[in-house]
Amino acid sequence: MKELSVAEFGRRLAHLLVSLFILLCVTFVIGRVLPMDPVGAIVGELADPAAYAAMRTRLGLDLPIYQQFFLYLNGLAHGDFGTAVLTGNPVSSDLAQAFPATFELATLAVIISTFVGVPLGLVAALFRDSLIDKVARVVALVGHSIPVFWFGIVGLVIFYAGLNWVGGPGRVDVFYEGLVTPQTGLLLVDSLLQGETEIFWNALGHIILPAIILAYAAMAYITRMTRSFTLEQLSQDYVIAARAKGVSPFGTIWRHVLPNIAVQLITILAISYGGLLEGAVVTEIVFSWPGIGQYMTNALMIGDMNAIVAGTIIVGFIFMLLNFLADIAYATFDPRMRETAR
């Protein structure tokens, strides 16, 4: 952080806070303009007018819109997202239980996409227009073109129903549910910490297919961007000089090119990670994964605006935070960005 001035850091932090405030404003407006009745979702469509009016007053919906907005912000500042209609629990409590499942799935997906996408992009650029480059480009194109839910359904049919290589929907088989005490909320980690290796392998069998499918789209993006960054560097004078000195192609990539594109890759990986957290919704529905995506979908079906708005805020904030951290890393370690900032 020595290379990034306090003023520049403050400016970027201010951008984050402004973006967060805009997100809160948008979610508030969505919660008020969508054709869903939060009062009716709680008391039921057949409730008598007195009960309906009492609940409307309790929720503050009878107040002027600006007062509703201040109450909304005050509740968020205290971690109060309201009560979920579906479960009757505080929404914050439900999200605390659902988020670890999404985090575990997205984290494994970004690990897979990184360890496959980055080397594939490097090799494709190194052997430009070769067979491996063409294959890499086709793989990336398919990852961008075919919907995730289609991959999910086909994957379940082939690898679960047909070959029985992976576990089915859910995080674990039914008879293993509740046997691991939540500590971190990450089932793979908690099962290992408690010595439940059988449950660990069962959970790994359940998560591997949705993680790979979720990772595919991110891998396609990472591969394409890594290839582009690498091709740009391979045309630079320092690479030509290294090759003239007898440095091997892979040595040039490892010692010279990769360090120069590392910051760009960090930015791409952060964006991909945020996209995986956001885009896990469809995957969670297909695989009955009990994460935020599944939770928000169930809430949407019954018009539970508290849960919908809270989930949107959490996912949006995480996405903005990851972009902020990537932006800080870029400005800190890339000398060109520091010169621009000055």
Side-chain angles (χ1 to χ4, degrees):
M1 293 298 296
K2 293 181 179 179
E3 299 292 344
L4 187 65
S5 67
V6 175
E8 182 65 16
F9 178 81
R11 184 178 69 84
R12 295 175 189 275
L13 180 60
H15 287 170
L16 172 65
L17 296 177
V18 170
S19 300
L20 178 60
F21 180 75
I22 293 174
L23 173 65
L24 297 179
C25 292
V26 170
T27 53
F28 173 79
V29 172
I30 290 175
R32 297 302 186 275
V33 303
L34 280 181
M36 294 181 178
D37 184 6
V39 179
I42 297 174
V43 300
E45 297 180 357
L46 302 179
D48 64 86
Y52 186 94
M55 180 56 66
R56 180 177 175 82
T57 302
R58 179 182 173 185
L59 296 177
L61 297 177
D62 59 332
L63 299 173
I65 194 69
Y66 70 91
Q67 291 187 21
Q68 293 184 40
F69 183 63
F70 285 127
L71 288 175
Y72 170 75
L73 294 180
N74 182 64
L76 295 182
H78 291 85
D80 181 12
F81 293 101
T83 302
V85 175
L86 185 63
T87 63
N89 301 323
V91 174
S92 56
S93 175
D94 285 345
L95 289 176
Q97 293 180 1
F99 179 74
T102 299
F103 177 77
E104 186 174 42
L105 178 61
T107 300
L108 183 58
V110 79
I111 291 173
I112 294 172
S113 61
T114 300
F115 278 91
V116 175
V118 172
L120 186 59
L122 291 172
V123 173
L126 186 60
F127 300 100
R128 184 177 185 179
D129 294 329
S130 66
L131 178 61
I132 191 172
D133 183 28
K134 295 177 181 177
V135 170
R137 282 186 284 176
V138 170
V139 168
L141 179 63
V142 172
H144 278 293
S145 304
I146 300 181
V148 173
F149 73 87
W150 185 87
F151 275 123
I153 295 172
V154 172
L156 282 173
V157 171
I158 295 176
F159 298 106
Y160 169 59
L163 300 175
N164 198 29
W165 286 358
V166 298
R171 297 181 77 182
V172 73
D173 287 344
V174 176
F175 47 89
Y176 286 129
E177 291 183 357
L179 297 182
V180 175
T181 303
Q183 295 178 355
T184 64
L186 309 178
L187 187 55
L188 294 176
V189 176
D190 290 342
S191 58
L192 284 179
L193 290 176
Q194 297 172 37
E196 299 286 356
T197 55
E198 186 176 351
I199 298 179
F200 169 81
W201 289 113
N202 187 269
L204 184 62
H206 279 259
I207 196 176
I208 192 66
L209 181 60
I212 290 175
I213 289 173
L214 186 61
Y216 187 25
M219 185 206 71
Y221 176 64
I222 293 171
T223 299
R224 183 168 58 87
M225 297 307 297
T226 302
R227 179 182 180 275
S228 176
F229 296 151
T230 305
L231 286 175
E232 181 183 359
Q233 294 300 315
L234 288 176
S235 63
Q236 301 298 316
D237 292 338
Y238 77 92
V239 173
I240 298 174
R243 296 294 299 273
K245 292 179 181 179
V247 181
S248 66
F250 286 102
T252 302
I253 291 289
W254 180 256
R255 284 188 278 170
H256 299 286
V257 174
L258 194 56
N260 280 282
I261 66 172
V263 178
Q264 293 171 299
L265 287 179
I266 290 174
T267 304
I268 295 304
L269 294 179
I271 294 174
S272 299
Y273 194 19
L276 289 174
L277 287 170
E278 179 184 2
V281 175
V282 176
T283 306
E284 290 183 3
I285 294 172
V286 173
F287 288 90
S288 297
W289 195 260
I292 287 185
Q294 179 91 348
Y295 179 73
M296 290 178 64
T297 302
N298 293 336
L300 185 63
M301 294 299 180
I302 62 173
D304 188 352
M305 291 308 303
N306 286 338
I308 296 169
V309 169
T312 303
I313 291 173
I314 294 298
V315 173
F317 174 71
I318 292 173
F319 190 83
M320 289 188 293
L321 181 61
L322 288 171
N323 277 273
F324 170 74
L325 295 176
D327 196 25
I328 292 297
Y330 209 110
T332 302
F333 298 108
D334 193 321
R336 295 170 298 179
M337 292 295 293
R338 294 199 295 269
E339 290 298 326
T340 302
R342 291 171 186 167

